[in-house]
């Protein structure tokens, strides 16, 4: 299967208060569009591994920005098409150049997307025919009528819609062919697909880090706190310990449940390995430790899934322009026997971090009967994490 990707870059940036397209405004010393295209490029290896032929990259640009956007796109091998007066017209124009079986459409103003979101979106299209990247709403949402609250939908059914969004090419071409002349305003592709094909499928791989740069304050906030590794690699170290004593027949390590005669005592699920990973990642970013973000005095995190905590840590560092590029974890335990589960632990850790398994190393050993670990009273885990700037 050949996959095409459209990046929408033909906007004017009016709401950002700039006198030019906001995608040409500087973020960490380079135009926003450069960071977005770098994130797109970073996703390519995942598609190659799955056997999909990637990448046909198409970028829409307004006539006044054509020269500058063409120069930015040149190293990425993108085709450039002229955008229209609306997002709908711009996507329609770009679709005329698409030759892939599937097309993913992404807003150029979302530079912090991840390879995980692109691949997750594509897998959703393969399974359901469409994919709208979205995240569960953390805010209560009100429906307004004449200035009054008319309805408050249940928060668990409300999602914040993001991009990328994906579709089978013929379906979305047909939908946009009808939408481009109907006079209505569409702010995303799922709306077009839902109107003219069928209800689009929610793909819950969205994250807070994949925020859209909309207002001038968004740029000011990010540029005021550039990535600690402004343009290089950073390394952090983390360690954690938990004691046995919980009445359950398994322990959880790196998000994998492993049979054991007792569980680990902790405020959360006791995943000592992921706690060490979180500390290492936060350390590399120059941030506080895991206890600062998920305190054991907060009942919100009672019994919390540590994989979810790690996902939030990934979002926190992404807000500073950083991503995980490598993890090295060492677990010391007399029990349970970990060797049959190492590969699953690697796969789960890599999945959450958004990296390939070859970038994760997990070793397991005992303490030869020495100390509390050697006496079988607990488990200790160490981690070294490597971070790099998003887009590098």
């Amino acid at each position: 299967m050949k996959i095409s990707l459209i990046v929408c870059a033909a906007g004017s940036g009016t709401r950002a208060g700039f006198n030019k397209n906001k995608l040409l405004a500087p973020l960490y010393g380079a135009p926003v569009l450069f960071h977005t295209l770098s994130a797109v490029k970073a996703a390519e290896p995942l598609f190659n591994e799955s056997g999909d032929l990637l990448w046909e990259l198409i970028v829409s640009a307004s006539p006044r920005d054509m020269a500058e956007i063409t120069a930015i796109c040149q190293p990425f091998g993108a085709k450039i098409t002229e955008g229209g007066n609306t997002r709908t017209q711009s996507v329609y124009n770009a679709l005329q150049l698409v030759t892939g079986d599937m097309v993913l459409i992404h807003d150029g103003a979302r530079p912090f997307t991840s390879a995980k979101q692109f691949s997750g979106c594509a897998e959703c299209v393969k399974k359901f025919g469409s994919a709208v990247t979205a995240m569960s709403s953390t805010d209560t949402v009100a429906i307004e009528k004449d200035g009054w609250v008319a309805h408050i939908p249940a928060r668990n059914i409300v999602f914040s819609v993001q991009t990328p969004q994906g579709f089978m090419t013929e379906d979305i071409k047909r939908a946009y062919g009808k939408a481009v002349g109907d006079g209505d305003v569409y702010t995303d592709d799922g709306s077009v697909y839902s109107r003219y094909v069928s209800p689009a499928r929610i793909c819950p791989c969205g994250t807070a880090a994949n925020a859209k740069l909309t207002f001038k304050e968004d740029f000011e906030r990010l540029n005021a706190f550039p990535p600690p590794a402004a343009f290089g690699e950073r390394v952090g170290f983390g360690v954690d310990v938990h004691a046995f004593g919980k009445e359950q027949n398994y322990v959880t390590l790196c998000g994998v449940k492993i049979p054991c005669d007792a569980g680990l005592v902790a405020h959360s699920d006791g995943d000592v390995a992921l706690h060490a990973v979180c500390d290492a990642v936060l350390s590399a970013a120059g941030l506080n430790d895991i206890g600062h973000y998920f305190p054991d005095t907060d009942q919100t995190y009672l019994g919390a899934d540590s994989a979810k905590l790690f996902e939030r840590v990934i979002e926190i560092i992404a807000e500073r322009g950083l991503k995980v590029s490598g993890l090295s974890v060492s677990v010391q335990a007399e029990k349970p026997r970990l060797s049959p589960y190492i590969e699953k632990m690697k796969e789960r850790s890599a999945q959450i971090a958004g990296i390939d398994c070859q970038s994760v190393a997990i070793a397991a050993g005992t303490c030869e009967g020495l100390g509390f670990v050697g006496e079988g009273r607990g488990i200790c885990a160490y981690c070294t994490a490597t971070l790099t700037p998003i887009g590098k």
Side-chain angles (χ1 to χ4, degrees), residues 5-22:
L5 190 140
I6 293 171
V7 173
C8 302
S12 61
T14 303
R15 286 184 293 173
F18 298 129
N19 59 0
K20 63 179 180 179
N21 187 339
K22 65 186 176 184

Side-chain angles (χ1 to χ4, degrees), residues 11 115 123 169 305 314 327 329:
E123 289 303 315
T169 300
D305 180 351
I314 296 299
L327 296 171
V329 183

